[in-house]
């Protein structure tokens, strides 16, 4: 009776472990395909997990969709909708696509809520400061030049309608630049395209703006937040995005694109209200929202507003943000919503602190691996203890089943039987 119960116990343990391994192997064997390319003056990356019915020709559809975004909203293509609107001196309604109109409409909402801190007509000022498509001078423009340019900018001079879709300007020389929102919109378009094709577990990134859907191996997709002014070896915060609903992340900061003139640092982020680069202590802003277009716009808007006003806006709009603020050569973190977990008020980010955070995020994975390993070792030990009885397809002192070529492998770990023999010898020692 005891031997019978023991055999049933061994069978149950082996079956349970094999079943668990089968599920894990199913996830591990599901293909993760990555597509990369160039768009909007930057790069894109698309990852598709599983979805075997979606073939690799999806790359063609991805490129075609991104080309359409450029045809609508690029300021580099002279034939794009936006370029033709900017070149027109007419103050009548100018027909555009529904996509362009909807992006501009949301941009105008953010502009109103920030009192012009976010303004898609700021392009001429960006160019004047040397951060546009022209040659960089590394010099601050004269105030007279800025005063003249301010006459032809301002979100108040721009109107948008959705039906029929069109744009209208009250100042003939006004121009629209959607570079602070179009990448996020492009990400949303690709996620929608993939969903329509049947790919629901995806990761899409354009120029650092990210949106995910579903999961990878049943676990959340994670997005890294780079520490400002950090070198390549400094760990990033790895934030897991939601599995149950689509989530996006966008980051805006002044630590990559700037110039120094007469010992003064000038950021590429221009405050439309002052016509000058931002001068506050906010180093970077990361935003998590459902739509990547929204995250893209809010990240730029909050970056312009600065640490205090930006945090207040995020709270009032119920936006999840992580603000990293410079303070005497170190960094302070402030956060709201799902990103509040990384905020440590009045605590600076140092290399050691970042490393500790990375270890903390890795702890659950380490513990899980240890538990699984312990269970496997226990199963092997049980096999050795109870008379080396043969149970087909399991490991560790229990006989392995034979493959068609005469070799044997373990259904749990899929390693050749010679490796299992080596492990048994090590355990015996």
């Amino acid at each position: 009776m005891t031997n019978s119960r023991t055999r049933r116990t061994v069978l149950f343990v082996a079956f349970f472990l094999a079943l668990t391994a089968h599920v894990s192997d199913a996830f591990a064997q599901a293909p993760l395909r990555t597509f990369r390319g160039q768009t909007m003056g930057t790069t894109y990356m698309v990852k598709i997990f599983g979805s075997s019915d979606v073939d690799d020709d999806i790359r063609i559809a991805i490129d075609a969709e991104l080309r359409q975004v450029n045809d609508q909203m690029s300021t580099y293509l002279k034939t794009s909708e936006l370029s033709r609107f900017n070149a027109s001196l007419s103050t009548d309604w100018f027909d555009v696509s529904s996509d362009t109109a909807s992006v501009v409409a949301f941009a105008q909402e953010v502009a109103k809520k920030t009192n012009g801190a976010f303004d898609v007509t700021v392009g001429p000022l960006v160019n004047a400061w040397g951060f546009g498509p022209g040659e960089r001078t590394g010099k601050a423009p004269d105030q007279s030049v800025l005063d003249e340019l301010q006459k032809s900018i301002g979100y108040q001079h721009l109107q948008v309608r959705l039906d029929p879709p069109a744009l209208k300007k009250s100042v003939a020389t006004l121009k629209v630049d959607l570079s602070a929102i179009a990448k996020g919109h492009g990400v949303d378009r690709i996620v929608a395209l993939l969903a329509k094709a049947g790919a629901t577990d995806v990761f899409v990134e354009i120029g650092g703006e990210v949106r995910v859907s579903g999961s990878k191996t049943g676990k959340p997709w994670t997005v890294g937040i780079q520490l400002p002014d950090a070198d390549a070896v400094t760990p990033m915060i790895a934030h897991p995005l939601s599995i149950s609903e689509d989530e996006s992340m966008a980051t805006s900061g002044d630590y990559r694109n700037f110039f120094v003139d007469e010992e003064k640092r000038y950021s590429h982020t221009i405050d439309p209200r002052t016509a000058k680069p931002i001068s506050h202590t906010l180093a970077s802003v990361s935003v998590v929202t459902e739509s990547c277009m929204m995250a893209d716009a809010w990240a730029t808007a909050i970056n312009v507003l600065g640490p205090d006003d930006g945090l207040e806006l995020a709270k009032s709009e119920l936006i999840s943000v992580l603000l990293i603020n410079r303070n005497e050569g170190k960094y302070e973190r402030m956060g709201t919503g799902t990103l509040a977990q990384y905020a440590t008020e009045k605590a600076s980010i140092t290399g050691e602190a970042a490393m500790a955070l990375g270890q903390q995020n890795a702890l659950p994975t380490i513990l899980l691996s240890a538990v699984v390993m312990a269970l496997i070792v226990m199963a092997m030990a049980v096999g050795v203890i109870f008379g080396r009885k043969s149970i087909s397809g399991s490991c560790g002192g229990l006989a392995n089943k034979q493959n068609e070529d005469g070799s044997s492998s373990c259904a749990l770990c899929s390693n050749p039987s010679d490796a299992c023999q080596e492990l048994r010898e090590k355990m015996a020692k």
Side-chain angles (χ1 to χ4, degrees):
M1 180 68 73
T2 301
N3 289 338
S4 177
R5 288 179 178 175
T6 300
R7 284 195 295 271
R8 286 199 297 269
T9 300
V10 173
L11 282 167
F12 174 78
V13 171
F15 173 75
F16 174 77
L17 290 175
L19 180 61
T20 303
H22 175 74
V23 174
S24 299
D25 286 345
F27 276 126
Q29 292 169 7
L32 177 63
R33 289 170 290 168
T34 301
F35 305 99
R36 303 175 189 272
Q38 295 184 336
T39 186
M40 305 183 200
T42 185
T43 60
Y44 77 78
M45 177 173 62
V46 174
K47 294 183 179 182
I48 303 176
F49 180 73
S51 303
S52 57
D53 55 328
V54 178
D55 59 38
D56 288 349
D57 286 344
I58 193 67
R59 177 196 294 274
I60 299 174
I62 292 171
D63 286 332
E65 190 73 15
L66 292 174
R67 282 198 300 271
Q68 187 176 35
V69 175
N70 273 308
D71 288 342
Q72 294 168 340
M73 305 175 201
S74 173
T75 55
Y76 291 83
L77 296 176
K78 292 183 179 180
T79 57
S80 73
E81 291 179 0
L82 210 57
S83 292
R84 289 187 286 108
F85 172 75
N86 290 342
S88 173
L89 297 178
S90 171
T91 55
D92 294 329
W93 285 105
F94 186 95
D95 293 338
V96 295
S97 64
S98 58
D99 293 316
T100 299
S102 64
V103 171
V104 173
F106 182 73
Q108 289 294 85
E109 288 182 28
V110 178
K112 293 173 183 177
K113 291 181 178 180
T114 60
N115 293 319
F118 183 84
D119 191 336
V120 293
T121 71
V122 75
L125 290 175
V126 175
N127 296 338
W129 282 96
F131 294 110
E135 183 179 354
R136 294 197 174 190
T137 63
K139 296 290 183 181
D142 293 337
Q143 184 61 46
S144 59
V145 173
L146 300 179
D147 291 340
E148 185 63 27
L149 288 175
Q150 279 193 300
K151 297 177 182 178
S152 59
I153 70 168
Y155 74 96
Q156 304 93 333
H157 304 304
L158 175 65
Q159 291 180 263
V160 56
R161 74 182 183 199
L162 300 179
D163 189 18
L167 304 179
K168 183 178 181 180
K169 48 188 172 183
S170 59
V171 176
T173 54
L174 180 137
K175 301 180 186 302
V176 174
D177 186 340
L178 299 177
S179 59
I181 190 173
K183 291 194 299 294
H185 169 75
V187 170
D188 291 334
R189 294 261 291 263
I190 298 304
V191 172
L193 171 73
L194 295 173
K196 187 176 181 179
T200 55
D201 295 323
V202 301
F203 176 106
V204 179
E205 176 263 336
I206 299 178
E209 321 302 3
V210 175
R211 179 169 172 175
V212 305
S213 179
S215 65
K216 175 188 175 184
T217 66
K219 299 177 182 178
W221 296 97
T222 57
V223 182
I225 302 175
Q226 181 67 52
L227 303 180
D229 305 327
D231 57 33
V233 300
T234 302
M236 297 186 297
I237 294 172
H239 176 68
L241 296 176
S242 174
I243 292 179
S244 60
E245 57 186 18
D246 289 7
E247 277 195 335
S248 305
M249 177 182 286
T251 297
S252 178
D254 70 346
Y255 53 94
R256 297 293 188 199
N257 195 0
F258 61 90
F259 69 84
V260 178
D261 182 22
E262 297 182 356
E263 299 184 351
K264 187 172 181 181
R265 187 177 189 273
Y266 294 98
S267 167
H268 76 288
T269 302
I270 309 299
D271 188 339
R273 301 168 301 179
T274 64
K276 297 179 180 179
I278 57 176
S279 57
H280 50 65
T281 57
L282 188 57
S284 77
V285 179
S286 295
V287 175
V288 171
T289 60
E290 179 182 353
S291 157
C292 197
M293 177 185 71
M294 296 170 61
D296 201 1
W298 283 121
T300 299
I302 294 172
N303 190 33
V304 173
L305 287 172
D308 297 327
D309 292 342
L311 187 61
E312 287 303 313
L313 176 68
K315 290 178 179 178
S316 65
E317 292 294 324
L318 302 179
I319 303 171
S320 294
V321 302
L322 176 66
L323 310 183
I324 301 181
N325 193 45
R326 293 187 183 90
N327 184 10
E328 298 179 357
K330 297 183 179 180
Y331 297 104
E332 294 176 346
R333 292 172 287 172
M334 301 174 288
T336 62
T338 59
L339 297 179
Q341 59 185 306
Y342 308 115
T344 53
E345 190 174 359
K346 298 183 180 179
S348 61
I349 298 177
T350 63
E352 292 180 358
M355 182 65 74
L357 179 61
Q359 292 172 346
Q360 178 182 352
N361 289 336
L363 186 59
T365 302
I366 294 172
L367 290 176
L368 179 60
S369 300
V371 170
V372 172
M373 194 63 190
L375 288 172
I376 293 173
V377 172
M378 180 186 72
M380 292 187 292
V382 168
V384 173
I385 293 170
F386 292 106
R388 304 180 185 273
K389 295 292 183 179
S390 175
I391 299 179
S392 178
S394 60
C395 280
L398 306 177
N400 297 300
K401 73 179 175 184
Q402 294 242 324
N403 296 325
E404 293 180 359
D405 60 0
S407 66
S408 57
S409 27
C410 165
L412 184 60
C413 61
S414 299
N415 287 329
S417 56
D418 290 342
C420 291
Q421 177 63 32
E422 181 182 355
L423 178 58
R424 287 197 293 269
E425 291 173 356
K426 289 182 178 179
M427 289 177 63
K429 291 179 181 180

